[in-house]
Amino acid sequence: MASQSSTQIRRALHLAQTGAALEPGSAGIVQLRTECSACNLRELCAPCCGLNQSERNVAKRLVFKRMRLRRGESLYRTGDHFTSIYAVRKGFFKSVLLLENGHRAQVIGFSMQGEVLGLDGIGAGQHNCNAIAVEESEICAIPFAGLQLLAHEIPSLQRHVRRMMSREIVREQGVMLLLGNMNAEERLAVFLLNLSRRYAAQGYSPSEFDVRMTRDEIGSYIGANLETVSRTFSKFQKDGLLRVRHKSIRILDGAGLEGVAGR
Amino acid sequence: MASQSSTQIRRALHLAQTGAALEPGSAGIVQLRTECSACNLRELCAPCCGLNQSERNVAKRLVFKRMRLRRGESLYRTGDHFTSIYAVRKGFFKSVLLLENGHRAQVIGFSMQGEVLGLDGIGAGQHNCNAIAVEESEICAIPFAGLQLLAHEIPSLQRHVRRMMSREIVREQGVMLLLGNMNAEERLAVFLLNLSRRYAAQGYSPSEFDVRMTRDEIGSYIGANLETVSRTFSKFQKDGLLRVRHKSIRILDGAGLEGVAGR
DNA sequence: CGCTATCTTGAGTAGCGTCAAGTCATGTGG
DNA sequence: CCACATGACTTGACGCTACTCAAGATAGCG
């Protein structure tokens, strides 16, 4: 069923890109047409950010397509033809890498509201992982070919794309450090502090938030199993660092948590 | 002393970029001026690869600078101002990420002959890790600003830069999978098969090669300690998969090794 | 209200890290 | 050319962290 809905989404995207009509609301997917200049995320949105007014006018030519996805639905899958990068307008996604035998899988990243998804496809022309909604989410698809045409006229846009890619490289380097060098407590602490910082960047409280993903998904990301994640949450609570009530997290001692994270 | 020689290299690079003269052979560093078209690595070299003749003529404007580094010398260090990307002409480099407290370090990648180094600096304008020669090495510095000017005229070059960055993202995703999901044997097997493939890509034997790095450096990269690396080498030898004689490796049973790697 | 997914906690174990001792290779200076 | 020092590697013993298996608690959903 996950595969089926993914197919529908891909079809929707294809239709959106070719400009063909789509039945609204089919399979719970709503597709909207918006101009960049009307996008209420344009302050956050990668390709618009940092443009001056005249550049924004040029950017109007780039028509974005919005879509909604429910928990478990795929935005794209490994091997899908790369056409767009995606700005997350609302919700949460996980990027899952599958081993060739398909037996093992690992979450290699989470993308939240205001962040960009799908850069891994630029090189090979096809996506290298599965992007799956962790909760009810809404994205804005940015056709990459159009983005490149624009970037040729707007150098700052070209720079912006490069900067996003470079940031992704640096982010992944940090995860490699986490996975290669840290124990379970340090990993979870780093994970929580990172989440906290990202919520803060979106204007939410850095000390009180929900983890939208399951213990299993967190564990997959930080290289531990779900029991270890759960135990470590409990230990942090016992030590007075957090208050954990299922998905709801309150950071009680940020400095203490940073101490555990080893900074 | 490592820090001192690094300073010298940075000074050399600065001089090279400003065009000032440099005493040849000082501190064992030799700096050479070469045009791209004369570079005998141009088939491998990232920015030249994939250009047609007329584009190559344009590319002649881009003057590269070559340098030699001895084992342990830094090509760049965390926080260094980003000016160039580097093509490895000869030798081997490791990229080392330092934790903020400077106490822990991890090798996050190795770059061999024919590969490119330094892409992590593009976004922030400064390097995010230390690039250190693992053996006597020679690199070709490609000034990034010049590369970008050229890329504006040669779209395929722009694409090429993007592709390199995207490949780096995908490579790091693979390392994350390795570090998050595999045991020591699987990690070492994956590491060796990857090395084998890269040696083959450079025209060397895929089944018989030297590991240029120490057990400690391998361990840091694959998230194990040096004893575990050594023990696993011994086990692979006992199982008839490899013949290991210190740094010299011969793969006796590639299929068996792939089996261990879990593919 | 019951079913299912998710989470928590416990007990036992295995893999890998730590500590330690010894071997081997490389390089340096007499 | 040899002696010695140093760095790199190997192997063993032991202990701890985190995984596995299992059972029960809790939340969310139809």
Side-chain angles (χ1 to χ4, degrees):
Chain A
M1 73 168 196
S3 142
Q4 193 187 2
S5 62
S6 163
T7 305
Q8 289 170 331
I9 291 161
R10 283 194 299 252
R11 183 166 157 268
L13 256 184
H14 173 73
L15 289 169
Q17 267 137 19
T18 56
L22 183 74
E23 314 88 318
S26 67
I29 300 155
V30 178
Q31 185 248 321
L32 310 158
R33 288 188 152 265
T34 325
E35 283 193 5
C36 185
S37 56
C39 174
N40 63 19
L41 263 190
R42 68 177 176 282
E43 306 310 318
L44 301 169
C45 179
C48 296
C49 163
L51 302 186
N52 63 33
Q53 191 51 54
S54 72
E55 288 169 336
R56 283 234 179 90
N57 289 336
V58 179
K60 276 186 185 172
R61 274 191 278 146
L62 193 60
V63 179
F64 295 175
K65 289 96 189 175
R66 289 197 229 162
M67 287 193 323
R68 293 212 186 100
L69 290 91
R70 288 175 304 188
R71 170 170 175 81
E73 290 183 327
S74 296
L75 178 58
Y76 55 79
R77 316 192 124 222
T78 306
D80 277 4
H81 182 57
F82 170 75
T83 56
S84 305
I85 60 176
Y86 305 92
V88 182
R89 297 171 55 84
K90 194 169 143 300
F92 235 98
F93 286 82
K94 61 176 175 180
S95 297
V96 181
L97 202 60
L98 295 165
L99 226 67
E100 283 153 54
N101 57 28
H103 203 63
R104 274 186 292 195
Q106 176 164 3
V107 175
I108 56 168
F110 294 106
S111 306
M112 70 179 288
Q113 185 183 112
E115 296 174 346
V116 170
L117 202 58
L119 297 172
D120 62 290
I122 291 176
Q126 58 177 41
H127 289 288
N128 192 53
C129 59
N130 295 0
I132 300 168
V134 158
E135 60 173 352
E136 176 91 21
S137 299
E138 194 178 324
I139 58 92
C140 187
I142 305 160
F144 194 71
L147 189 63
Q148 280 315 120
L149 285 175
L150 264 188
H152 195 69
E153 297 173 41
I154 309 175
S156 71
L157 188 53
Q158 191 69 262
R159 251 197 320 275
H160 198 75
V161 172
R162 275 204 309 275
R163 193 164 299 153
M164 284 193 299
M165 294 183 75
S166 185
R167 261 204 291 263
E168 179 66 10
I169 292 174
V170 171
R171 183 193 74 79
E172 289 183 358
Q173 288 179 352
V175 178
M176 288 166 66
L177 192 61
L178 178 134
L179 292 173
N181 258 312
M182 297 184 178
N183 63 28
E185 287 185 30
E186 294 169 326
R187 292 177 193 198
L188 187 61
V190 168
F191 171 76
L192 289 172
L193 289 168
N194 177 265
L195 257 194
S196 163
R197 200 179 43 69
R198 287 156 70 189
Y199 274 118
Q202 297 301 317
Y204 297 104
S205 165
S207 61
E208 191 157 14
F209 51 83
D210 284 3
V211 289
R212 314 295 172 88
M213 57 292 281
T214 66
R215 302 289 189 260
D216 198 22
E217 287 164 340
I218 296 171
S220 175
Y221 180 60
I222 68 173
N225 64 12
L226 69 97
E227 293 96 331
T228 299
V229 173
S230 180
R231 269 185 259 269
T232 310
F233 267 127
S234 300
K235 178 168 190 306
F236 284 172
Q237 179 158 254
K238 188 166 68 69
D239 295 349
L241 300 174
L242 302 177
R243 195 208 49 162
V244 184
R245 213 161 286 164
H246 308 111
K247 304 248 181 193
S248 158
I249 302 287
R250 174 183 288 199
I251 296 177
L252 300 174
D253 180 3
L257 206 55
E258 299 217 350
V260 173
R263 305 191 186 193
Chain B
M1 74 166 198
S3 142
Q4 193 187 0
S5 61
S6 162
T7 305
Q8 289 170 330
I9 290 159
R10 282 193 301 251
R11 182 167 158 271
L13 254 185
H14 173 72
L15 288 170
Q17 266 135 19
T18 55
L22 182 76
E23 314 89 317
S26 66
I29 301 155
V30 179
Q31 185 247 324
L32 310 158
R33 288 187 153 264
T34 324
E35 283 193 6
C36 185
S37 56
C39 174
N40 63 19
L41 263 190
R42 69 178 176 281
E43 306 309 319
L44 301 169
C45 179
C48 295
C49 165
L51 303 186
N52 63 34
Q53 192 52 52
S54 72
E55 289 169 335
R56 284 234 179 92
N57 289 336
V58 179
K60 276 187 184 172
R61 274 191 278 146
L62 192 61
V63 178
F64 296 175
K65 289 96 189 173
R66 289 198 228 162
M67 287 192 327
R68 292 213 185 100
L69 292 90
R70 288 175 305 188
R71 169 167 178 83
E73 290 183 328
S74 295
L75 178 57
Y76 55 79
R77 314 194 125 221
T78 305
D80 277 4
H81 182 56
F82 170 75
T83 57
S84 304
I85 60 176
Y86 304 92
V88 181
R89 296 172 54 85
K90 193 168 145 302
F92 235 98
F93 286 83
K94 60 177 175 181
S95 297
V96 181
L97 203 59
L98 294 166
L99 226 66
E100 282 153 54
N101 57 28
H103 204 63
R104 272 185 293 194
Q106 175 164 1
V107 175
I108 56 168
F110 294 105
S111 306
M112 69 178 289
Q113 186 183 113
E115 296 174 346
V116 170
L117 203 56
L119 297 172
D120 62 291
I122 290 176
Q126 58 178 39
H127 288 289
N128 191 52
C129 60
N130 295 358
I132 300 167
V134 158
E135 62 173 351
E136 176 91 21
S137 297
E138 195 177 323
I139 59 90
C140 187
I142 305 160
F144 195 71
L147 189 63
Q148 280 316 120
L149 285 176
L150 263 188
H152 194 68
E153 297 174 43
I154 309 175
S156 70
L157 188 54
Q158 191 68 262
R159 251 196 322 275
H160 198 76
V161 172
R162 275 203 310 276
R163 193 164 300 155
M164 282 193 298
M165 295 183 74
S166 185
R167 259 203 291 262
E168 179 65 10
I169 292 174
V170 171
R171 183 194 73 81
E172 289 183 358
Q173 288 178 352
V175 179
M176 288 166 65
L177 192 62
L178 177 134
L179 291 173
N181 258 312
M182 296 184 177
N183 63 29
E185 287 185 29
E186 292 169 326
R187 292 177 194 200
L188 187 62
V190 169
F191 170 77
L192 289 172
L193 289 168
N194 177 266
L195 257 195
S196 162
R197 201 179 41 72
R198 287 157 71 190
Y199 274 117
Q202 297 300 318
Y204 297 105
S205 165
S207 62
E208 190 156 15
F209 51 83
D210 283 3
V211 289
R212 313 295 172 90
M213 58 291 279
T214 66
R215 302 289 189 259
D216 198 22
E217 287 164 339
I218 295 172
S220 175
Y221 181 61
I222 67 173
N225 64 14
L226 69 97
E227 293 95 331
T228 299
V229 173
S230 179
R231 269 187 260 269
T232 309
F233 266 128
S234 299
K235 179 168 189 308
F236 283 172
Q237 179 158 254
K238 187 167 68 68
D239 295 348
L241 300 174
L242 302 178
R243 195 208 48 165
V244 184
R245 214 161 284 165
H246 307 111
K247 305 248 181 194
S248 158
I249 301 288
R250 174 184 288 201
I251 296 177
L252 300 174
D253 180 2
L257 206 56
E258 299 218 349
V260 173
R263 304 194 185 189

